[in-house]
Amino acid sequence: MSNITFLSEVTSLRGLIGSTGLLRFHIGDGIFVTARHVVDGMTIKEIATTKSTLTEEAAGGKVAPPRYLKILDGPYFGPDGLDVAIFSVDLGEVPLPAITVSDHTDYSLQENDLVLSDILVIGYPPIPFTTMPSQVVTLGQISAVVRVWHSPVLHFIASTMARGGFSGGVVLDHSGVALALVTESLGKDDMPVETGYMSLLSIEPAVDLAVEKFGFDIHGVKQGRYSDILLAVKFTDSSRRSLSSFIFDASLYIYDDDRDVFVEINCVDEVLLANAVATFQAITPLIRHDVDDGTVLYTPTENPSAELLFQAGEAVAAFFTNSGYKKMVSDRNRWQFKDA
C-alpha cells in the first residue's frame, strides 16, 4: 500500500528509524490521519513514505521511490474522547496516492451493519532484526459495532490481534475504502488483554476534523461530506433503562438537497412530540403530511433558508435535552448555507 506513511521522530539517526516509527495514512490533499495517543505530547520532526508509488500519467507515470515530506500544519486533535489526530504535509511536485475514506456516519449505522464484513488492517509492528520499517497487513472481520463509555463515536471490534505498531493504522473494507483506524486493544484495568481482537475507531471524526481544519473535500463536489442531511439527531430517554445502545426514544431529521426540504420529528412520548413540533413551528411554520407507511413528514409552508431550518432543528434538539433526553448520535452539514 503506497499511501501508508511512516513517521520518524529522529532527524539524523536514520539507522534507527525502524525502532522509532509511528503510523499515518494519507486521505488526500496532503492530509494525514493517525491516532492521537501516538503523537500527543510529541514533536513531529519528519515524515516519510516507505513504499514506491506509481505516479499518475500526468506526472510521467513513473515509479517514485520512498521520500521524506515536509510537515506544514498540525497535528490537530479531535475533542476529548476521540483518539484521532490529523496534520498536513507538502507533497511537492510528485503526487501521493490517497486512501478513499468512507462517508458513513454514526447516525446511519445500525448495530448489525458491517458485522462479519472482511477488513484489511495495516501496520508497522516491530520486527526483530529488520534493517528498515516493514509494512505488515492482516485480514480480519468486523465482529461487532459498539458504543463505548470513553468515546462519543462508534467503535468496531475486529477479529484480529492487537499488536504494538498498529496504532493509527488504517482499516480498509473489501473495496479499499477506509472504515476506521486502529486505536486500542481490548483490556480493562489489570486484566490480561484479549489477544484475539482489537478496537477500531470509526473514520467519521477524522473526516470531520479534516473538513474543519483543512477544508477537506470528501466527494470532490463541495467542501465537507456533501450529505443532503442538514441536521439529524437521535435521543434516548435517560430515565429509562435500555438493553441496547442503539435504541432511541426520539429523533429529528431535516433533509435539504437545495431543492426539496422535509422534516421528520419522532418521540415515543406523544406530549413531548407535540411540543417538539410546536418548537420547530415557532421558528418556521410546517405542513403535516401523513404517509401511507404510517410515518409523518413535515414540509415548510414557505421557503426558509437552510440557516433558519438549522436554527429550528437546534431548538428542537435543545428541547429534548432539556426534557431529560440524552443525545446519542448526530449528523450535521452546512454546505447548504449561503456563506458555505
Side-chain angles (χ1 to χ4, degrees):
M1 293 289 175
S2 58
N3 44 359
I4 302 303
T5 64
F6 183 83
L7 173 69
S8 171
E9 294 171 33
V10 298
T11 56
S12 57
L13 300 178
R14 303 244 172 121
L16 299 180
I17 193 170
S19 62
T20 58
L22 301 173
L23 190 60
R24 309 290 184 274
F25 57 97
H26 181 224
I27 62 173
D29 301 332
I31 303 168
F32 287 81
V33 176
T34 188
R36 174 173 182 159
H37 74 264
V38 300
V39 294
D40 200 0
M42 298 183 181
T43 299
I44 303 174
K45 293 185 177 180
E46 68 182 17
I47 184 171
T49 60
T50 62
K51 293 282 188 177
S52 297
T53 61
L54 181 63
T55 62
E56 299 174 353
E57 185 176 348
K62 300 179 180 179
V63 175
R67 67 187 192 270
Y68 289 92
L69 301 168
K70 180 183 178 181
I71 296 173
L72 295 178
D73 197 8
Y76 293 104
F77 302 134
D80 290 343
L82 290 177
D83 192 3
V84 64
I86 64 168
F87 59 90
S88 67
V89 307
D90 181 2
L91 296 178
E93 297 180 357
V94 181
L96 187 68
I99 294 177
T100 301
V101 291
S102 172
D103 60 0
H104 74 260
T105 64
D106 275 15
Y107 187 91
S108 65
L109 283 181
Q110 302 298 320
E111 58 187 321
N112 294 323
D113 291 345
L114 301 179
V115 172
L116 292 183
S117 60
D118 295 329
I119 56 172
L120 185 71
V121 185
I122 304 176
Y124 280 84
I127 303 175
F129 312 117
T130 53
T131 59
M132 294 296 291
S134 298
Q135 187 182 98
V136 174
V137 298
T138 181
L139 292 171
Q141 288 184 324
I142 300 295
S143 301
V145 181
V146 300
R147 301 192 191 283
V148 294
W149 287 109
H150 60 278
S151 176
V153 176
L154 280 176
H155 280 59
F156 306 118
I157 305 304
S159 61
T160 186
M161 184 179 295
R163 300 175 177 89
F166 275 91
S167 288
V170 66
V171 180
L172 307 176
D173 67 9
H174 68 280
S175 61
V177 172
L179 288 177
L181 63 148
V182 180
T183 52
E184 58 197 0
S185 58
L186 295 188
K188 183 178 180 182
D189 301 328
D190 296 328
M191 298 294 290
V193 172
E194 173 54 66
T195 57
Y197 299 90
M198 64 168 60
S199 182
L200 316 172
L201 173 64
S202 168
I203 197 66
E204 179 186 1
V207 174
D208 290 341
L209 191 59
V211 171
E212 175 189 348
K213 299 300 183 181
F214 300 124
F216 178 62
D217 189 346
I218 190 173
H219 289 305
V221 181
K222 290 180 181 288
Q223 177 177 313
R225 290 184 175 276
Y226 193 60
S227 168
D228 292 330
I229 295 174
L230 181 62
L231 177 63
V233 192
K234 292 178 181 177
F235 305 87
T236 182
D237 185 350
S238 56
S239 67
R240 291 160 51 102
R241 295 182 62 189
S242 176
L243 296 176
S244 171
S245 58
F246 287 83
I247 300 299
F248 57 93
D249 300 299
S251 65
L252 165 70
Y253 185 94
I254 305 176
Y255 175 95
D256 181 3
D257 67 356
D258 216 19
R259 298 182 304 274
D260 299 319
V261 175
F262 70 82
V263 178
E264 186 174 359
I265 305 174
N266 295 299
C267 184
V268 295
D269 187 317
E270 294 293 336
V271 175
L272 284 181
L273 175 60
N275 288 330
V277 173
T279 299
F280 198 105
Q281 298 218 61
I283 297 175
T284 181
L286 299 170
I287 301 175
R288 174 175 172 141
H289 304 274
D290 292 282
V291 186
D292 293 340
D293 63 3
T295 60
V296 177
L297 301 179
Y298 298 89
T299 55
T301 58
E302 301 173 352
N303 186 27
S305 64
E307 292 85 347
L308 192 62
L309 288 167
F310 195 90
Q311 178 187 342
E314 290 280 44
V316 172
F319 168 77
F320 278 127
T321 55
N322 291 335
S323 299
Y325 281 54
K326 181 181 179 181
K327 184 184 296 185
M328 294 172 56
V329 292
S330 64
D331 188 4
R332 59 190 64 207
N333 293 276
R334 292 178 178 267
W335 68 261
Q336 300 97 327
F337 285 20
K338 292 179 180 179
D339 59 352

